[in-house]
Amino acid sequence: MKRKGYLLLAALLLGITSACSPSANPGAPDPKAGTSGGSGNASGAPVKITWWDYMNSDEMIGALNKVIQDYQKAHPNVTIERTYVPFGDLKNKLLLGSAAGQLPDIVWLDNPDHQAFAAAGVLADITKEVQEWGQADQYYKGPWSSTLYKGKNYGIPNSGNNLALFYNADLLNAAGVKPPANWNELKEAANKLKKPGVYGLAVSAVRNEQGTFQFLPFVWQSGSDLNNFNTPGTLEAVKLWKELVDSGAMSKEVVGQDQQATELQFAAGNVAMMVNGTWQIPVLQKDAKFQWGIVPLPANKQGGRFLEGRTGPSLPPRSIRMWPGISSNSPSGPNI
């Protein structure tokens, strides 16, 4: 039985991505064994699975280690070796590893990069294994489509993120401001909340996928989309951000600020409101020294929220996966 089939089973149970590396043990167990969560081919030859991801928060590391430990307990012949790779280094490391024939078996890849790596031959075609698995219809269409390339499966979603408006409840209460529900209220609130040392609002407008991820909901709210981007609605979204910067309610430094830097500014009390994702909730629960909450992104002509899937990538004859899900954690502060 091909090793990538066994790795697909492991990746699905782990809720992450898998791939078959050149150094993989050829004595792979039958992927159909142990699908009910049992010990699988526990009496088979020892199998070592290498794993790369860019998760660096204590909460995520703890969760991943627990999943790995549980899987290894259920499959005693399997050892999973997890390696942390900084997000900014992962793509280059994969490309270099592909050229050198030194790729991991399981990789956690950001979904905007998934199809590019599939096109480059870095990821495995796991269409047959996915069809045999028979669970593709359990996934949201958007995250699932991000793992497809030319109609074939090169991964499985393992998680999803959403964007929302985070607010410092202490600052809003002191200014007599309610969390904004539409663009007009957002501009009014951001300007009321600005003061020396504090900006009313922060976004990430950095020139990469993070900036795109943050800007697209505003494009959708204005009635535009990627297939009709050059429209008055998109200009309206740009105008909103520009007016916030011009009024001093938002720092011009947002053009060089990624989402993590935005969170740090918010947690430090330097920003009253920010657009950010659900992955920041555990960080804020630990670091924020004030009451805070979360509301949906303020609407314009229509609502618009971003559900992002994350992919577990694979390698040359390798495989990848992702697990769809939206965090439902509650903030430490009031959630209005």
Side-chain angles (χ1 to χ4, degrees):
M1 181 63 66
K2 293 182 179 179
R3 178 179 175 83
K4 73 174 181 178
Y6 179 67
L7 290 170
L8 176 60
L9 168 63
L12 291 171
L13 293 178
L14 289 167
I16 214 79
T17 83
S18 94
C20 224
S21 70
S23 61
N25 189 323
D30 188 332
K32 296 180 181 178
T35 53
S36 62
S39 60
N41 191 11
S43 61
V47 176
K48 176 182 175 181
I49 296 177
T50 54
W51 164 327
W52 292 357
D53 68 66
Y54 51 84
M55 299 296 112
N56 59 2
S57 70
D58 292 341
E59 293 79 11
M60 281 301 302
I61 292 171
L64 290 177
N65 287 339
K66 177 65 164 57
V67 169
I68 290 172
Q69 291 166 7
D70 289 347
Y71 186 82
Q72 290 179 149
K73 184 177 180 180
H75 303 79
N77 64 309
V78 177
T79 300
I80 299 174
E81 185 179 277
R82 175 182 174 265
T83 299
Y84 164 71
V85 180
F87 180 80
D89 299 337
L90 181 62
K91 288 186 281 189
N92 283 339
K93 191 172 178 67
L94 283 174
L95 292 173
L96 292 173
S98 178
Q102 297 176 341
L103 287 166
D105 297 311
I106 296 175
V107 180
W108 188 314
L109 187 70
D110 201 16
N111 66 315
D113 302 316
H114 190 270
Q115 292 174 337
F117 277 101
V122 174
L123 309 182
D125 179 356
I126 56 170
T127 305
K128 181 175 180 292
E129 288 76 16
V130 169
Q131 289 174 346
E132 291 175 351
W133 176 51
Q135 299 295 314
D137 61 352
Q138 300 300 304
Y139 289 77
Y140 290 112
K141 181 179 178 181
W144 184 262
S145 67
S146 73
T147 65
L148 299 175
Y149 177 66
K150 292 187 175 180
K152 296 183 179 297
N153 297 98
Y154 289 87
I156 293 175
N158 73 347
S159 65
N161 289 315
N162 204 350
L163 289 175
L165 185 73
F166 291 68
Y167 63 91
N168 183 322
D170 291 349
L171 290 178
L172 266 69
N173 289 337
V177 173
K178 293 183 178 180
N182 57 56
W183 284 15
N184 287 333
E185 291 180 4
L186 178 65
K187 288 188 289 185
E188 182 179 356
N191 278 286
K192 283 185 177 180
L193 290 163
K194 70 180 181 183
K195 60 182 181 180
V198 177
Y199 287 101
L201 177 68
V203 301
S204 173
V206 66
R207 191 176 179 180
N208 60 24
E209 68 271 14
Q210 292 190 48
T212 303
F213 181 55
Q214 293 243 327
F215 185 62
L216 271 178
F218 292 87
V219 172
W220 292 329
Q221 290 174 346
S222 67
S224 295
D225 206 339
L226 290 173
N227 58 2
N228 62 336
F229 195 74
N230 187 22
T231 60
T234 302
L235 295 178
E236 188 178 0
V238 173
K239 182 181 177 182
L240 171 68
W241 283 22
K242 184 177 185 300
E243 287 179 351
L244 288 164
V245 171
D246 289 346
S247 68
M250 189 161 69
S251 171
K252 63 181 180 181
E253 301 302 324
V254 296
V255 295
Q257 185 172 285
D258 65 15
Q259 294 173 112
Q260 184 59 30
T262 301
E263 183 277 329
L264 290 173
Q265 289 294 314
F266 180 78
N270 299 329
V271 173
M273 301 181 293
M274 70 169 178
V275 175
N276 226 312
T278 53
W279 64 90
Q280 304 290 12
I281 291 173
V283 182
L284 289 170
Q285 287 175 329
K286 182 175 63 175
D287 295 342
K289 307 304 181 186
F290 49 82
Q291 293 294 303
W292 55 277
I294 308 174
V295 293
L297 293 178
N300 185 28
K301 293 182 174 66
Q302 59 191 28
R305 304 189 185 100
F306 206 130
L307 173 62
E308 172 205 35
R310 290 188 182 276
T311 300
S314 236
L315 318 172
R318 331 173 191 251
S319 10
I320 300 175
R321 11 245 143 219
M322 302 239 281
W323 220 247
I326 305 174
S327 171
S328 60
N329 300 53
S330 298
S332 60
N335 189 358
I336 298 175

